[in-house]
Amino acid sequence: MKDIDQSLKGSVFQTQRWSLHDGEGIRTTIFLGGCPLRCSWCHNPESWNENPIHRVTVKEVMDLIERDAIFYRTSGGGITFSGGEPTRQGEFLKTLVKNAMFLGIDTAIETSGYFNWEEQKETFEMLDSVFVDIKHMDPAVHRKFTGIDNSLILENIMKISDLGKRPVIRIPLISDVNDDGDNIEKTGEFILNHLSIEGVEILPYHNLGEYKYRDLGIEIKHQFFTPRSEKIQEVKEILKKLGVNLVY
Ligand code: SF4
């Protein structure tokens, strides 16, 4: 541990102790600032700022994490790195993951999958669990709603799977954007043909983040809707019929 730079600084826009939804057991979620995507439905637009004023050292983050170490061990929990896109601060993230590994603390990441693989490979080798989104299988639709196409994301998901990490694939399900049968079938086929995964988690869109756009003075470009419960069920049935394992 003494070889790891504890003074390295990074931007953390939020921390959440006692989180139960971002992996196994009781967890501390660290939200790292910066994201190269601009998903029109993003409920964390405050994460887009690359250089928030609130920069902290690795040591400060680790001190917070270690406060709950006993609870991680007794519940099978640990730390989850979220964002934003946590790989955006590659060195900072890698150093935090390394520290946690030395302390025997479980680590998970929530990622968009959009990053340079060579720069992040070592970090992914150390992480215990990976949650990664597939937002849409059509590159043009993906670009329309997120600002980038999906090719690098799909490539990286295959590489994560090839590392043997068995990612959880998350589908943020948005009415009339990605909940049609054709897109869901293509998503399922991609998973079955190219990945070895823990399972798929369907996350229906909610508009709880809308007030943040108003507070930050960011224009709301599209009005999105939560899929009806019948639609959510239909999507799950399509995936199940294809043989895709659903989790949660
Ligand atoms: S990848 Fe996540 S944090 Fe980034 S814009 Fe999309 S929803 Fe927001």
Side-chain angles (χ1 to χ4, degrees):
M1 240 298 267
K2 63 179 185 305
D3 296 334
I4 304 175
D5 182 3
Q6 303 282 322
S7 63
L8 191 65
K9 279 193 170 183
S11 77
V12 172
F13 70 91
Q14 193 186 337
T15 56
Q16 191 176 342
R17 294 170 70 195
W18 302 95
S19 170
L20 293 168
H21 305 291
D22 305 319
E24 294 290 316
I26 295 170
R27 311 191 71 83
T28 298
T29 305
I30 309 290
F31 295 85
L32 301 180
C35 185
L37 278 70
R38 288 294 178 268
C39 305
S40 305
W41 55 78
C42 180
H43 58 262
N44 278 338
E46 73 275 34
S47 72
W48 295 348
N49 187 348
E50 299 274 329
N51 297 301
I53 296 161
H54 191 52
R55 289 173 70 78
V56 292
T57 63
V58 166
K59 180 167 184 328
E60 285 169 311
V61 179
M62 292 312 299
D63 284 348
L64 175 87
I65 287 167
E66 282 186 67
R67 269 199 244 167
D68 294 327
I70 187 161
F71 300 110
Y72 310 146
R73 291 196 181 101
T74 50
S75 70
I79 326 167
T80 302
F81 298 101
S82 187
E85 169 48 51
T87 59
R88 195 71 177 176
Q89 300 184 66
E91 275 310 302
F92 188 60
L93 171 68
K94 184 162 70 181
T95 310
L96 290 170
V97 174
K98 232 180 232 177
N99 270 271
M101 201 175 75
F102 272 105
L103 294 169
I105 297 174
D106 180 273
T107 52
I109 190 169
E110 295 179 322
T111 174
S112 66
Y114 190 78
F115 50 78
N116 179 306
W117 177 253
E118 287 313 315
E119 287 171 12
Q120 306 300 331
K121 185 172 175 230
E122 195 186 337
T123 300
F124 277 84
E125 283 170 343
M126 291 187 286
L127 284 160
D128 293 300
S129 311
V130 178
F131 297 81
V132 58
D133 284 2
I134 295 184
K135 303 178 204 296
H136 207 291
M137 288 305 291
D138 183 310
V141 180
H142 198 284
R143 180 182 288 282
K144 177 179 169 193
F145 286 109
T146 71
I148 51 135
D149 80 33
N150 57 6
S151 51
L152 181 64
I153 291 172
L154 298 180
E155 268 173 41
N156 282 339
I157 295 176
M158 288 191 276
K159 287 174 180 165
I160 292 166
S161 170
D162 289 347
L163 271 187
K165 291 291 163 180
R166 293 183 60 78
V168 172
I169 304 295
R170 283 179 165 167
I171 303 177
L173 200 67
I174 305 147
S175 190
D176 298 329
V177 173
N178 63 356
D179 64 346
D180 58 285
D182 183 52
N183 180 56
I184 296 302
E185 271 182 27
K186 284 184 177 143
T187 307
E189 280 159 11
F190 171 78
I191 290 168
L192 289 171
N193 292 334
H194 299 286
L195 306 178
S196 172
I197 63 164
E198 191 61 31
V200 169
E201 185 178 9
I202 304 292
L203 297 175
Y205 167 79
H206 62 74
N207 64 0
L208 299 177
E210 255 185 40
Y211 73 94
K212 296 182 183 175
Y213 285 75
R214 284 189 289 276
D215 289 355
L216 292 165
I218 301 172
E219 183 197 354
I220 296 176
K221 291 188 184 148
H222 301 269
Q223 195 68 49
F224 295 106
F225 299 97
T226 307
R228 288 173 294 111
S229 56
E230 297 86 346
K231 189 69 182 178
I232 297 168
Q233 204 46 43
E234 195 184 307
V235 163
K236 288 183 176 174
E237 287 304 322
I238 293 173
L239 291 170
K240 269 197 241 167
K241 256 193 204 151
L242 285 170
V244 175
N245 181 39
L246 298 176
V247 290
Y248 309 114

